[in-house]
Amino acid sequence: MKLITKLLATAALMSGTAGVFAYPDRPIQLIIPFAAGGPTDTVGRALAQSMGTDLKQPLVAVNVGGAGGTTGSARVAQANPDGYTLLLMHIGMSTAPSLYKKMSFDPLKDFEYIGLVVDVPMTLLGKKDLPANNFAELQTYIKQNAAKLNYAHAGIGSASHLCGMLFMSAIQTDLTTVPYQGTGPAMTALLGGQVDLMCDQTTNTSAQIKAGTVKVYGVTSQQRVATLPNVPTLNESGLRGFQVGVWHGLYAPKGTPKAVLDRLVQSLQTSLKEPVFVKRMEDLGARIYDTKDATPQGLRATLESEISKWSPVIKQAGVFAD
């Protein structure tokens, strides 16, 4: 059935004159497997605008949240391989195989790869009235008040969950975790004082940090973020070797015709150099991947490497989702 669908899709891409490529001739859905307002949503909508301009057809961002991004990812894995349903997924594509006992798709078998998009550092945040004013004070405060503190995240398997898990492991202290349907709602809870701490990507936190509506205790990259020059890294603050980068990749359903994939790769590479997109990502502290990584080969190599990297970490922590 997949083969027939692929052949029909390939035939549909050709106009009446043999060899004339017609894709795309209608809007394309870009599935963002997280809630609106979150960091991946921010990247996805900026990318959709840039690629839509290049492809001369709208990329319509559609939020399909749930299960750490696997609900939306599964929808794309099962979609018609005609180039009109794409997926923007982050590091969770590499952690899901270890976190979830049962999955309806295989990240290494059920997708075609288009390329890497951006890599985003994360920030460790606290609510505005948390007594600790820097990371050293935070460590002391957590040790003294661990039983009454909570940590918000976007669900098991999310980047914010992974960051928090590594953070708690690094300081050897467990906190009560509170899952939300995306980091957008989690940030709302932090701003409202309902939760104490969270990790989130700079694409979602830079504005809040600059506005002073949250307290920031460090970034998770090895170097400081250019847009947040006064925020130290957690590594320099004492958590030696602590690093979490949230890479994002663009995918299509398995069986998507090569001609379509080639056009999408070309559009992605063009869009990653488009001035408005570049400025938007720079303002949010995101690092844009270069041409050699914005390819099917670059994305697949990263995915394979990251699955191997995170599998033993997650298994050792004993964290699993249903």
Side-chain angles (χ1 to χ4, degrees), residues 153-317:
H153 63 81
I156 291 178
S158 66
S160 54
H161 173 247
L162 178 64
C163 180
M165 185 173 66
L166 291 178
F167 172 66
M168 286 181 265
S169 175
I171 64 173
Q172 299 182 330
T173 305
D174 291 329
L175 303 174
T176 299
T177 60
V178 183
Y180 287 85
Q181 292 295 315
T183 48
M187 175 62 77
T188 299
L190 186 73
L191 293 172
Q194 285 84 45
V195 293
D196 301 299
L197 296 164
M198 70 177 288
C199 277
D200 199 3
Q201 299 168 59
T202 56
T203 43
N204 202 39
T205 64
S206 292
Q208 301 294 349
I209 292 169
K210 292 175 181 178
T213 54
V214 295
K215 286 189 175 180
V216 58
Y217 297 107
V219 295
T220 65
S221 51
Q222 287 297 292
Q223 291 80 36
R224 294 196 183 196
V225 175
T227 55
L228 300 169
N230 297 322
V231 179
T233 68
L234 292 177
N235 180 66
E236 69 181 278
S237 296
L239 286 187
R240 298 300 178 194
F242 191 92
Q243 182 178 9
V244 181
V246 185
W247 54 270
H248 295 69
L250 190 63
Y251 305 80
K254 189 71 174 179
T256 300
K258 185 178 185 302
V260 173
L261 294 173
D262 289 345
R263 180 67 183 97
L264 289 168
V265 171
Q266 179 188 57
S267 181
L268 173 63
Q269 294 187 351
T270 297
S271 298
L272 295 187
K273 298 175 184 176
E274 193 268 322
V276 173
F277 180 81
V278 170
K279 180 65 165 57
R280 177 64 171 150
M281 293 302 103
E282 286 178 348
D283 289 346
L284 295 171
R287 177 178 69 87
I288 298 173
Y289 281 99
D290 59 27
T291 302
K292 68 179 177 62
D293 294 315
T295 62
Q297 297 80 12
L299 176 52
R300 185 177 183 90
T302 295
L303 179 60
E304 290 176 342
S305 174
E306 290 283 291
I307 288 175
S308 297
K309 171 184 175 180
W310 290 111
S311 178
V313 173
I314 293 169
K315 289 179 180 177
Q316 183 177 359

Side-chain angles (χ1 to χ4, degrees), residues 54-133:
D54 177 71
L55 292 167
K56 296 180 174 55
Q57 287 289 342
L59 260 72
V60 181
V62 179
N63 298 95
V64 184
T70 61
T71 300
S73 298
R75 176 180 294 191
V76 177
Q78 296 159 9
N80 288 334
D82 55 8
Y84 290 96
T85 306
L86 306 178
L87 170 70
L88 180 73
M89 180 56 170
H90 64 29
I91 188 176
M93 188 68 92
S94 63
T95 59
S98 298
L99 284 165
Y100 290 87
K101 298 175 182 178
K102 294 181 180 179
M103 288 176 49
S104 61
F105 65 92
D106 185 330
L108 294 175
K109 296 179 180 179
D110 294 332
F111 295 96
E112 301 290 353
Y113 307 105
I114 299 169
L116 289 161
V117 181
V118 295
D119 183 81
V120 186
M122 303 193 78
T123 48
L124 178 63
L125 305 176
K127 62 183 181 181
K128 188 176 181 179
D129 61 354
L130 205 65
N133 294 309

